[in-house]
Amino acid sequence: MQGEVHIFEQPAQLHHAAAERLLDLGREAIKQRGAFHLVLSGGSTPAGLYQLIGEQHRQDLDWSRVHIYFGDERCVPADHEMSNYRMARELMLSRLPIPSVQVHAISGDLPPALAVGEYRDLLEHQPPRDDGPLPRFDLILLGMGDDGHIASLFPGSELLYRRKVLVDEVHLDHLDARQPGSRRITLTLPVLNHARHLMLLVSGASKAAMLERITREEGEDKAPHAPLPIQMLQPLGGMEWYLDRDAAAGLNSPHERDPLSH
Ligand code: 6PG
């Protein structure tokens, strides 16, 4: 797998290591550029990380310099149980002294087209550009679906090939349009791939088959299908995987299985 692979016996160890790495990258960004532009992932995997940071790391970073964004959001109100913002707020953001104006939630309660326009406007002027039209985030946290999706970029989506779009809406066609969560707002691949650092947090046995597949297909000349979203991550900066043992069970080569076991 491209990038550095860290494998942990238990999710709790994964969360501790990911928290330490996130804080290191935050201190580095603040020291070098005066701010830390951090994109949070949704889903359940990062919950333990957010809780750990919120409970134990209030003193370990100058949170007044941190700007929070979201890789994607479900089109639901901010207090809905499916809201990625709600999870981050309850577990972490409500416990850290980050100025509220620096927490940039995606407006899940707005009509999707308006929420997209609002986030596109935001990304027009922050985070700072340093080499062209794309915003460069210091760190983007991502989870991975068992189908290889990242953020709300799903296999087969034409959004995967749109190069000039930074944010867009997604309709999960396998869900009824009236079902909460069937409509989402997501950052796109050009933005994800322009990050200084990407951290993939993947835990649980349900992800093992997909991790095995992407590892196996890396060794093959040509995959027999269009690349999956997870396989389209080619970040300019560093990419690091934080896996637990269950998710890594299918990584059969010694290099992949125990490259940096903890
Ligand atoms: C979301 C995430 C999504 C998530 C994966 C993994 O809004 O759900 O952006 O991409 O990271 O689906 O989800 P779990 O962590 O719940 O397995």
Side-chain angles (χ1 to χ4, degrees):
M1 290 155 65
Q2 182 198 1
E4 215 169 83
V5 181
H6 302 268
I7 300 173
F8 302 87
E9 280 301 323
Q10 298 301 329
Q13 294 167 303
L14 184 160
H15 298 146
H16 277 283
E20 290 305 322
R21 181 63 175 148
L22 184 153
L23 294 165
D24 283 345
L25 290 171
R27 284 187 282 266
E28 177 187 299
I30 290 168
K31 183 176 177 194
Q32 290 179 1
R33 293 177 294 278
F36 181 37
H37 296 276
L38 168 61
V39 178
L40 299 182
S41 168
S44 59
T45 301
L49 169 64
Y50 297 165
Q51 182 165 358
L52 178 67
I53 292 175
E55 288 176 351
Q56 298 185 25
H57 292 291
R58 183 184 173 92
Q59 309 303 328
D60 297 329
L61 190 66
D62 181 358
W63 295 102
S64 72
R65 300 294 190 95
V66 176
H67 291 250
I68 297 288
Y69 309 79
F70 290 80
D72 67 332
E73 186 57 275
R74 293 82 179 272
C75 295
V76 295
D79 60 3
H80 192 283
E81 62 179 3
M82 294 186 74
S83 165
N84 289 334
Y85 166 73
R86 173 180 164 179
M87 176 185 71
R89 185 193 68 231
E90 289 182 344
L91 295 176
M92 181 170 76
L93 302 178
S94 58
R95 297 169 166 157
L96 298 175
I98 302 173
S100 58
V101 293
Q102 293 173 200
V103 176
H104 308 289
I106 298 173
S107 298
D109 53 334
L110 286 181
L114 293 183
V116 167
E118 188 181 69
Y119 227 61
R120 283 179 181 168
D121 291 348
L122 171 73
L123 297 190
E124 281 307 311
H125 60 272
Q126 66 180 72
R129 267 83 171 140
D130 50 8
D131 64 350
L134 290 171
R136 170 161 282 172
F137 291 103
D138 295 306
L139 174 59
I140 300 181
L141 300 179
L142 288 173
M144 183 193 75
D146 58 12
D147 61 353
H149 79 257
I150 48 175
S152 284
L153 299 168
F154 288 82
S157 167
E158 54 84 28
L159 188 49
L160 291 167
Y161 300 94
R162 295 184 65 187
R163 289 282 166 264
K164 298 199 184 311
V165 170
L166 305 184
V167 188
D168 214 340
E169 64 179 282
V170 171
H171 297 211
L172 276 59
D173 48 22
H174 61 284
L175 297 177
D176 180 297
R178 290 160 301 182
Q179 196 172 331
S182 64
R183 303 176 82 171
R184 300 191 177 189
I185 311 294
T186 186
L187 297 184
T188 60
L189 268 176
V191 178
L192 303 182
N193 279 331
H194 202 62
R196 283 193 172 81
H197 294 278
L198 283 183
M199 279 174 68
L200 276 295
L201 307 176
V202 185
S203 68
S206 68
K207 309 294 174 71
M210 180 48 70
L211 287 179
E212 185 278 330
R213 172 176 166 180
I214 61 178
T215 302
R216 173 169 37 82
E217 290 185 353
E218 265 180 6
E220 292 167 357
D221 290 342
K222 185 166 175 4
H225 58 77
L228 296 168
I230 188 79
Q231 294 173 315
M232 296 176 77
L233 284 178
Q234 304 285 342
L236 274 182
M239 183 148 121
E240 300 162 38
W241 301 77
Y242 285 72
L243 314 176
D244 69 0
R245 181 69 60 195
D246 288 346
L251 301 188
N252 53 14
S253 72
H255 167 70
E256 266 78 24
R257 190 172 54 250
D258 299 313
L260 290 159
S261 276
H262 308 266

